[in-house]
Amino acid sequence: DVKVTQSSRYLVKRTGEKVFLECVQDMDHENMFWYRQDPGLGLRLIYFSYDVKMKEKGDIPEGYSVSREKKERFSLILESASTNQTSMYLCASSLEARLGGYTFGSGTRLTVV
Amino acid sequence: GENVEQHPSTLSVQEGDSAVIKCTYSDSASNYFPWYKQELGKRPQLIIDIRSNVGEKKDQRIAVTLNKTAKHFSLHITETQPEDSAVYFCAASGGANSKLTFGKGITLSVRP
């Protein structure tokens, strides 16, 4: 059973802090994704990666960056946290979407105060 | 890029009735259409998917249909039960990458 583990379930940070959200998958998936989930807006793609050290911007990359130094780990970085980044952050991994879709992590509820 | 629309945003049905959730997509190159169910406080989980070379797929009480000409696909749940209450997301992907574009989700409530 594929496991996608996000390091924190709940996180509270102050405005201006640098925030790291970690995601680890254990099934040797090439593809990893970061989404944020907000009421009424669904799942919006922030960044994704198809390989180690590779990254591509999604639909809402502003204010975020990512790091993928190892195949199993994909980190989302909030360079300077702001209150409008308060959200649920979901990590996902996949072989290829057409082979079976994503497996999501449990999510990190980030509150920026 | 791909745009996936999902309407309405909420749906309420009586237990035992059927529920149908529809999505439309914009990119005719999309060829993979999964549906995810997210229960309150939990992660989205894949419940069924369909590829563009198939018109319909069933798995027990759920089914998905695809109309490529009209660029829409639908989730059908029969004999609904209270545990079917959740947010349902449709998604689409295709072309050279596996990036999924999601709809905004629909909250299904099954009334006992």
Side-chain angles (χ1 to χ4, degrees):
Chain A
D1 191 26
V2 178
K3 283 187 72 175
V4 179
T5 303
Q6 294 183 231
S7 54
S8 303
R9 190 78 175 97
Y10 299 95
L11 212 52
V12 180
K13 296 292 182 180
R14 294 195 180 277
T15 301
E17 277 193 78
K18 190 170 187 176
V19 181
F20 293 85
L21 303 183
E22 305 288 346
C23 177
V24 177
Q25 50 94 4
D26 66 358
M27 285 299 291
D28 204 33
H29 282 176
E30 287 83 9
N31 306 328
M32 296 189 75
F33 308 85
W34 275 106
Y35 285 84
R36 64 177 282 177
Q37 183 175 15
D38 300 289
L41 298 178
L43 299 167
R44 294 181 292 167
L45 182 63
I46 304 171
Y47 266 97
F48 58 105
S49 169
Y50 292 138
D51 203 351
V52 175
K53 296 192 184 294
M54 174 272 176
K55 60 185 178 183
E56 286 197 36
K57 293 180 180 179
D59 300 318
I60 52 165
E62 296 78 19
Y64 304 93
S65 63
V66 290
S67 173
R68 194 165 181 200
E69 296 296 318
K70 294 184 178 182
K71 190 175 185 180
E72 66 271 18
R73 185 181 296 271
F74 192 36
S75 302
L76 180 69
I77 304 158
L78 285 66
E79 298 292 342
S80 177
S82 64
T83 55
N84 63 12
Q85 292 178 309
T86 292
S87 186
M88 171 65 83
Y89 290 88
L90 288 164
C91 175
S93 73
S94 75
L95 283 168
E96 293 182 49
R98 61 186 175 86
L99 294 180
Y102 291 4
T103 298
F104 282 92
S106 296
T108 296
R109 171 74 64 184
L110 174 66
T111 302
V112 183
V113 298
Chain B
E2 176 65 274
N3 182 45
V4 178
E5 299 280 342
Q6 195 169 358
H7 297 285
S9 60
T10 61
L11 178 63
S12 180
V13 299
Q14 193 71 39
E15 182 177 0
D17 286 351
S18 294
V20 181
I21 302 170
K22 295 183 180 179
C23 285
T24 60
Y25 62 98
S26 62
D27 187 351
S28 56
S30 289
N31 56 20
Y32 176 67
F33 308 92
W35 285 89
Y36 287 81
K37 175 183 180 183
Q38 187 178 29
E39 297 176 19
L40 191 63
K42 296 189 177 180
R43 72 188 76 190
Q45 292 199 301
L46 179 69
I47 56 172
I48 195 167
D49 56 15
I50 193 167
R51 291 167 175 81
S52 58
N53 59 345
V54 175
E56 182 176 357
K57 183 177 178 181
K58 289 183 180 180
D59 183 3
Q60 299 182 346
R61 294 189 298 109
I62 60 173
V64 57
T65 57
L66 172 65
N67 183 325
K68 287 187 292 183
T69 303
K71 289 191 281 188
H72 69 71
F73 56 112
S74 300
L75 178 70
H76 305 253
I77 306 173
T78 59
E79 300 173 20
T80 54
Q81 301 167 5
E83 52 263 39
D84 294 328
S85 295
V87 177
Y88 291 82
F89 292 97
C90 60
S93 78
N97 65 64
S98 59
K99 178 169 66 78
L100 286 174
T101 299
F102 287 86
K104 292 184 178 180
I106 179 172
T107 300
L108 174 65
S109 300
V110 180
R111 305 185 303 272

